[in-house]
Amino acid sequence: MRANKSMQWMFLAAALLALPSLAIAQQGEVHVGKVTGHSGAGKQLYFRFCWGCHGFRGDGNGENGPYLNILPRNFVAATFKCRSTPTGTLPTDEDLYNSLGRGFTNSNMPAWISLTNQQRADMVAFIKTFSPRWKSDKPGDPIAVPAEPALSLQSIQHGKELFTKLECWKCHGPEGRGDGPSAATLTDSNEQPIRPYNFAEGSRFKCGATNHDLYKIFMTGLDGTPMPSFADVIKPDDAWDLVHYLRTLQVTHKSPELTLWMSTKEGAEFVKAQKVGGTSTGSGIKQ
């Protein structure tokens, strides 16, 4: 009997000692859909593919950093541009997962489509180990994105009015070329010069390519950049009108919005007057 009780106590003690290890393992996990990512596996992937830019400690000070026109993300600071969550909050695991698969246009961050879903989830789990924010803060709740209203000329025209009223032109320029009067003065959270997006030359945005993605950019902002959140400034329907108008500024991207806008005299004259030049980061010389 005593022997049985002794064995029970030994098993109980072993289980209690194992609890911290179990907690650590759970902290090193992320869940994206049906995939569970593990930081241990992600660590191997990070030091194979990422540390050269993002640094050994994840602080963005990799040996390749000085040669890049946009500094690599500092995972220790845990400030992320592309999120589905309100400005100032942490992104969801799915946000980070999608960023790895999408990459960042106009930067040296590629789309890691060569990685499997499991590997991307593992990478997210390890990236989250760099910053203490993931222990003290929770990701924000994803913003609600209402259904997109039907496209109309009235929507485009109202979006154009909002572009002026909200002073988007001061950074993005009157024609959306990223050459507004404030463009040359803008810096990011690393105190590095940053150019506003040039709609005339781009088809993809920093955080995606769809109208849904563009809507989220308005409402969440791009943390670490001068692009603010307009969630407290404009109503959802106004945001969709702005989305529709900005699509017409992408004169090299044949969208439904541009096609409809070109059916008007004003839109046709605007597109005809555009000249290809510069890059989607706003730099370059008009040709």
Side-chain angles (χ1 to χ4, degrees), residues 200-224:
E201 290 301 312
S203 60
R204 272 194 55 187
F205 309 111
K206 179 69 70 177
C207 302
T210 68
N211 286 7
H212 185 279
D213 295 326
L214 188 52
Y215 179 96
K216 286 196 298 183
I217 291 173
F218 293 153
M219 297 311 208
T220 65
L222 300 181
D223 286 359

Side-chain angles (χ1 to χ4, degrees), residues 18 67 133 158 160 172 197 216 239 273:
Y67 304 102
R133 280 196 67 191
H158 185 224
K160 181 181 179 182
H172 293 284
Y197 184 77
K216 286 196 298 183

